[in-house]
Amino acid sequence: MRQISVDTSNATVMVAKAPQPKVKDRRTGEIAIDKDGVTLMVVEVMFSTPDEVEILKLTVPQSGVSEDLTMGTPVVLTGLVASAWENEFNGQKRHGIAFRAVAVTSLAAAGSASKAA
């Protein structure tokens, strides 16, 4: 599957919903892990550019998620990529775009650290 890098240089990004473990199977509650055995998290962010605002649901390895992410926290996204997906379930085709990031890092901690200095 082809991944397309997403330019975040002109975007303002804030947490829309606190991180939660990504569920692989809703019936069993099984949590998703990556190929290295790291738990995957879902972080919803408000991605705002001068032209539009969208809520993106990102998949991020747990090790790449800042501990202090709450709704409204300004963040920086590292390694954000988009991938198109398509599947068929019960005879119905579905498709969309999945977003994945290497890290979601709070800018609030950096701001308070510089104020303390």
Side-chain angles (χ1 to χ4, degrees):
M1 179 172 8
R2 181 179 169 158
Q3 293 184 334
I4 301 166
S5 294
V6 178
D7 180 13
T8 61
S9 61
N10 280 341
T12 299
V13 185
M14 291 190 298
V15 174
K17 186 175 179 184
Q20 298 185 10
K22 181 173 182 157
V23 178
K24 179 178 180 177
D25 186 334
R26 290 183 203 161
R27 291 172 289 153
T28 64
E30 180 184 359
I31 302 300
I33 57 172
D34 68 9
K35 63 183 181 339
D36 298 321
V38 176
T39 299
L40 295 174
M41 304 294 286
V42 174
V43 183
E44 291 185 41
V45 298
M46 181 192 75
F47 191 90
S48 174
T49 64
D51 299 328
E52 63 185 304
V53 176
E54 291 188 56
I55 300 294
L56 303 181
K57 192 179 280 193
L58 311 175
T59 299
V60 185
Q62 187 173 27
S63 57
V65 177
S66 288
E67 291 181 22
D68 54 349
L69 298 184
T70 58
M71 190 166 83
T73 304
V75 293
V76 63
L77 306 176
T78 303
L80 180 61
V81 294
S83 303
W85 61 268
E86 181 176 280
N87 64 24
E88 188 171 333
F89 184 73
N90 288 337
Q92 292 186 333
K93 284 192 176 188
R94 296 175 30 155
H95 62 276
I97 299 173
F99 294 92
R100 186 169 176 126
V102 172
V104 177
T105 309
S106 171
L107 291 174
S112 59
S114 63
K115 288 177 188 175

